[in-house]
Amino acid sequence: MVKLLPFEEPIVQLKTKIEELKEYTINADVDMSVEIVNLEARLEKLEQEIYENMEPWDRVQVARHPSRPTTRDYIQLLCTEFIELHGDRLYGDDAAIIGGIALFEGKPITIIGHQRGVDTKENIKRNFGMPHPEGYRKALRLMKQAEKFNRPIICMIDTKGAYPGKAAEERGQSEAIARNLVEMAGLKVPVISVVIGEGGSGGALALGVANHIHMLENSTYSVISPEGAASILWKDASLAKQAAEAMKITAPDLKKMEIIDTVITEVHGGAHKNIEAQAMYLKETLITSLKELENLTPEELIENRYVKFKNIGEFKE
Amino acid sequence: MSIKDIFRKNQKKKYATIPTEKAKNDVPEGIMMKCPECRKNVFTKNLMKNLKVCPTCDHHMKMTAWERVEIFLDGNSFVSMDDHLETVNPLNFPSYTEKIKADAKKTGLNEAVLTGIGKLDGQQVAIAIMDSHFRMGSMGSVVGEKITRAIEKATDLKIPFIIFTASGGARMQEGVLSLMQMAKTSVALRRHSDHGQLYISILTHPTTGGVSASFASVGDINIAEPKALIGFAGRRVIEQTVREKLPEDFQTAEFLLNHGQLDAIIHRKEMREKVASIVHLHMAKEVTKW
């Protein structure tokens, strides 16, 4: 059974009530159908109300939901003939980032994304989707390959952040991220990034210097996790809920700040409730983006990225 | 306590002032300074003559942006840029604006970086100098914008861009806008590089987080001052994650050099001369024919 989140509690209660009544109708031979219809109408309204007025903290929890679809799910649902390519040719293969070539709408693309595990065993293998430098270097290698063969690049962002570890520092975590930022800025093919879960700081941005940036409605993109922000700013990690609001990290927040291009609608309650339907929403957005970008020359694509990021920032002149 | 008690003579003092640890180490402002590394006292006048390097243990102390201008560039050649940009409070963080104002007053800077054009041994360069005395040198919108404009200026004038980094990373109080400054400075550096222009990054203590993970690490030449702390994640965070003892020199300039992340470590006393010579090597006007 899919894990339910605290804010969904009233819905669960009402659903249980309806089930009880239905059972009662059958077992006790009392006609409750009118009540049931009424309650079902109320349920629909309640779902509408709750899912359309989600607080930032609710979205954080949906973004972190263990059943939330990952990069691999979307590749499987959106692409055919995906061929995964491994390794950075320098040190190793980081399972926290996957990537390869695939057909999307019958046309070749390069698709790369952070990859979490679905269970503990896989999470250990994939380091909970927190890459080491070799992950970023693999991503860059695949992007350069895409550029050579003139394939558009789609990046899926879904990480708590780059891994803070000894080995990562030794092998140049900073340089690996920084290199990606600078190299992505100069790519001669269209680059589209989609935040599908958590967009955690520099580790997310290293796949994010794109022509178009989209976010799933219940995904987040931030400079630091709500817990981290709370502990730095208020010396208390338990204030994460407040920090999630204050830091403005949800898709609608980023759209308002004009950092991202599109908020991709999610199915009610979050992408994990209907992965296939969610993939279709994503597909539409990707097709629109690709159509818009295919007419730009390599120089225009680079200029487009330049202007996009140059304009981000708030200050008084 | 009755009123009489107040006037009683020879009453015992109820509180004693015990100097704090910090106060014990304090030396009267201005005359002498204590080296944070070896704890020896140095006359401030001598220290400045020694480029704020401890004469006893060679520790490179923090410098303000203007002190760097003084010791690095040709005399009176520096003209600052974008001092008029003003930080706003996009996420409405309590007391953020006040903190910025206080640091501006303290440092005489509008933000945590000083940018401009100057001459280095006669060669014109665009320069950005981060100042860790201003909000730990953290990068928000104004820092990102000032650095980006300085890079653009360098590209336009076809001159090298040099940066002295000193930063705790992205500025939390500006949220994701701060994060995006990493991308903003990077797109500008890409263009500078595409125009065949030189970029030298000089990493000073401390250079961490989002600054380390963007412009600081991608110079054509990456240089550091001795013993400077340079790294992506904080030492404490890593210790908590990996639960193993980290080596003594972890995330120092020397550690990075050993792991292939730096071109060189250069002593502050030689910095000006060596960087000038790197610049000259790139500025040969006519293509040399063999």
Side-chain angles (χ1 to χ4, degrees):
Chain A
M1 171 133 175
V2 176
K3 186 186 149 204
L4 286 160
L5 299 169
F7 71 95
E8 296 175 299
E9 194 63 35
I11 297 171
V12 181
Q13 277 172 6
L14 196 55
K15 270 189 182 160
T16 325
K17 192 105 199 159
I18 293 171
E19 287 308 310
E20 275 170 20
L21 281 183
K22 277 183 178 165
E23 215 164 282
Y24 198 61
T25 313
I26 297 161
N27 295 340
D29 202 22
V30 186
D31 186 15
M32 302 278 249
S33 56
V34 181
E35 283 82 355
I36 290 172
V37 169
N38 279 344
L39 281 181
E40 272 172 345
R42 220 170 91 194
L43 176 68
E44 201 176 314
K45 232 176 124 188
L46 186 70
E47 278 188 323
Q48 195 101 1
E49 230 165 72
I50 287 180
Y51 290 140
E52 277 169 21
N53 294 296
M54 282 168 63
E55 301 284 326
W57 184 243
D58 303 334
R59 294 193 196 277
V60 169
Q61 285 170 297
V62 172
R64 291 174 178 173
H65 198 287
S67 314
R68 190 165 176 83
T70 66
T71 297
R72 188 179 43 213
D73 295 314
Y74 290 121
I75 292 177
Q76 274 166 5
L77 288 164
L78 296 176
C79 301
T80 49
E81 285 185 47
F82 174 64
I83 297 164
E84 188 177 351
L85 302 173
H86 295 273
D88 68 346
R89 301 293 186 273
L90 297 163
Y91 177 81
D93 182 39
D94 188 347
I97 289 183
I98 62 169
I101 320 164
L103 289 180
F104 176 63
E105 293 292 283
K107 294 175 207 62
I109 57 159
T110 285
I111 188 159
I112 302 163
H114 299 101
Q115 184 63 50
R116 294 180 287 114
V118 289
D119 50 32
T120 310
K121 198 176 158 208
E122 200 198 348
N123 258 323
I124 289 165
K125 178 186 160 200
R126 300 199 179 277
N127 201 27
F128 296 83
M130 298 164 84
H132 280 76
E134 47 273 24
Y136 295 115
R137 288 173 183 145
K138 168 168 71 177
L140 182 59
R141 180 176 77 81
L142 298 183
M143 289 189 227
K144 288 285 186 187
Q145 188 190 60
E147 183 180 49
K148 175 176 172 183
F149 295 104
N150 206 21
R151 289 190 289 264
I153 300 164
I154 294 171
C155 291
M156 306 255 180
I157 294 173
D158 186 15
T159 183
K160 291 184 187 305
Y163 187 64
K166 180 170 170 253
E169 297 284 333
E170 285 171 341
R171 299 200 285 274
Q173 190 72 291
S174 286
E175 196 273 348
I177 293 170
R179 182 67 54 201
N180 277 21
L181 304 183
V182 173
E183 292 302 323
M184 285 184 84
L187 289 170
K188 297 190 181 93
V189 291
V191 184
I192 301 163
S193 292
V194 189
V195 187
I196 58 169
E198 281 182 277
S201 200
L205 188 64
L207 297 183
V209 184
N211 295 97
H212 287 172
I213 311 169
H214 309 300
M215 281 176 80
L216 293 191
E217 196 183 342
N218 296 318
S219 58
T220 60
Y221 203 168
S222 63
V223 68
I224 187 170
S225 70
E227 287 81 1
S231 69
I232 287 180
L233 295 168
W234 304 307
K235 315 260 178 272
D236 185 355
S238 65
L239 295 173
K241 191 176 172 203
Q242 284 86 322
E245 265 160 58
M247 296 296 286
K248 303 257 189 300
I249 61 173
T250 68
D253 287 330
L254 269 86
K255 175 71 184 161
K256 233 179 272 163
M257 288 190 272
E258 293 174 7
I259 293 174
I260 60 164
D261 295 84
T262 321
V263 178
I264 302 172
T265 313
E266 280 194 34
V267 290
H268 264 175
H272 60 284
K273 304 258 169 169
N274 188 341
I275 301 181
E276 288 77 19
Q278 191 59 55
M280 288 307 112
Y281 290 157
L282 179 54
K283 184 172 154 181
E284 274 172 45
T285 308
L286 288 176
I287 292 172
T288 313
S289 261
L290 286 165
K291 278 191 177 154
E292 221 173 280
L293 294 171
E294 75 180 342
N295 299 319
L296 300 184
T297 63
E299 292 71 34
E300 284 169 338
L301 285 167
I302 293 168
E303 179 66 17
N304 169 282
R305 253 172 259 136
Y306 188 87
V307 173
K308 181 183 192 72
F309 286 97
K310 167 74 193 175
N311 285 333
I312 302 178
E314 281 185 36
F315 53 85
K316 256 196 287 187
E317 174 117 42
Chain B
M1 192 163 89
S2 73
I3 293 207
K4 249 203 231 155
D5 291 339
I6 298 174
F7 300 102
R8 189 185 293 158
K9 275 181 187 170
N10 301 329
Q11 64 174 315
K12 259 196 193 154
K13 231 179 160 185
K14 277 184 185 140
Y15 308 101
T17 329
I18 300 163
T20 59
E21 271 308 305
K22 195 169 168 278
K24 273 186 199 163
N25 295 333
D26 267 356
V27 182
E29 194 75 33
I31 302 165
M32 288 189 94
M33 266 181 85
K34 195 165 230 172
C35 169
E37 195 62 31
C38 70
R39 304 235 150 270
K40 286 254 166 63
N41 286 322
V42 204
F43 280 109
T44 311
K45 230 166 67 186
N46 294 348
L47 191 63
M48 275 318 290
K49 259 190 233 155
N50 208 33
L51 312 180
K52 273 190 143 175
V53 175
C54 173
T56 314
C57 72
D58 213 33
H59 176 70
H60 286 50
M61 297 181 199
K62 286 183 188 173
M63 296 191 94
T64 68
W66 281 105
E67 284 168 351
R68 291 250 181 226
V69 167
E70 205 148 296
I71 68 163
F72 186 72
L73 293 174
D74 299 354
N76 296 322
S77 71
F78 180 73
V79 182
S80 71
M81 282 165 48
D82 301 313
D83 298 314
H84 62 291
L85 298 191
E86 231 178 275
T87 294
V88 294
N89 189 358
L91 304 187
N92 292 316
F93 256 94
S95 72
Y96 178 49
T97 310
E98 290 72 36
K99 283 176 182 163
I100 292 292
K101 282 198 176 130
D103 280 5
K105 209 171 156 193
K106 188 176 83 184
T107 59
L109 300 168
N110 63 331
E111 254 292 354
V113 67
L114 175 66
T115 56
I117 304 286
K119 283 193 171 162
L120 175 61
D121 197 20
Q123 171 61 52
Q124 201 181 32
V125 295
I127 192 164
I129 306 172
M130 303 187 85
D131 194 324
S132 62
H133 303 86
F134 195 117
R135 297 278 90 210
M136 298 266 290
S138 59
M139 173 164 63
S141 295
V142 170
V143 171
E145 181 69 18
K146 283 184 81 174
I147 292 173
T148 304
R149 288 189 190 183
I151 300 167
E152 286 175 332
K153 192 84 177 173
T155 313
D156 288 347
L157 296 175
K158 299 189 172 63
I159 56 174
F161 174 64
I162 298 173
I163 191 162
F164 281 88
T165 63
S167 174
R171 179 146 333 143
M172 298 300 137
Q173 289 89 341
E174 290 186 35
V176 72
L177 287 168
S178 302
L179 179 71
M180 292 298 157
Q181 302 309 308
M182 293 167 65
K184 181 190 207 159
T185 49
S186 296
V187 295
L189 282 175
R190 175 80 250 167
R191 175 182 280 189
H192 187 65
S193 180
D194 285 345
H195 282 73
Q197 296 303 323
L198 175 66
Y199 166 40
I200 301 173
S201 172
I202 303 165
L203 296 90
T204 74
H205 181 84
T207 298
T208 59
V211 166
S212 154
S214 56
F215 51 83
S217 297
V218 287
D220 294 302
I221 314 277
N222 291 340
I223 297 167
E225 284 194 331
K227 306 263 170 61
L229 169 76
I230 304 161
F232 175 66
R235 189 187 180 106
R236 245 184 325 137
V237 177
I238 297 172
E239 268 170 345
Q240 279 161 12
T241 322
V242 300
R243 291 176 200 287
E244 64 176 300
K245 198 98 181 81
L246 296 168
E248 187 77 359
D249 70 340
F250 189 63
Q251 293 184 327
T252 59
E254 290 71 18
F255 176 89
L256 266 82
L257 188 76
N258 282 337
H259 286 88
Q261 307 295 332
L262 289 175
D263 289 289
I265 296 174
I266 297 178
H267 196 282
R268 197 175 279 166
K269 284 182 185 166
E270 292 169 4
M271 192 65 87
R272 178 181 146 85
E273 194 192 326
K274 290 242 170 104
V275 176
S277 125
I278 292 170
V279 169
H280 279 301
L281 285 169
H282 287 81
M283 284 293 139
K285 282 277 178 308
E286 286 144 43
V287 180
T288 323
K289 274 190 186 153
W290 294 107

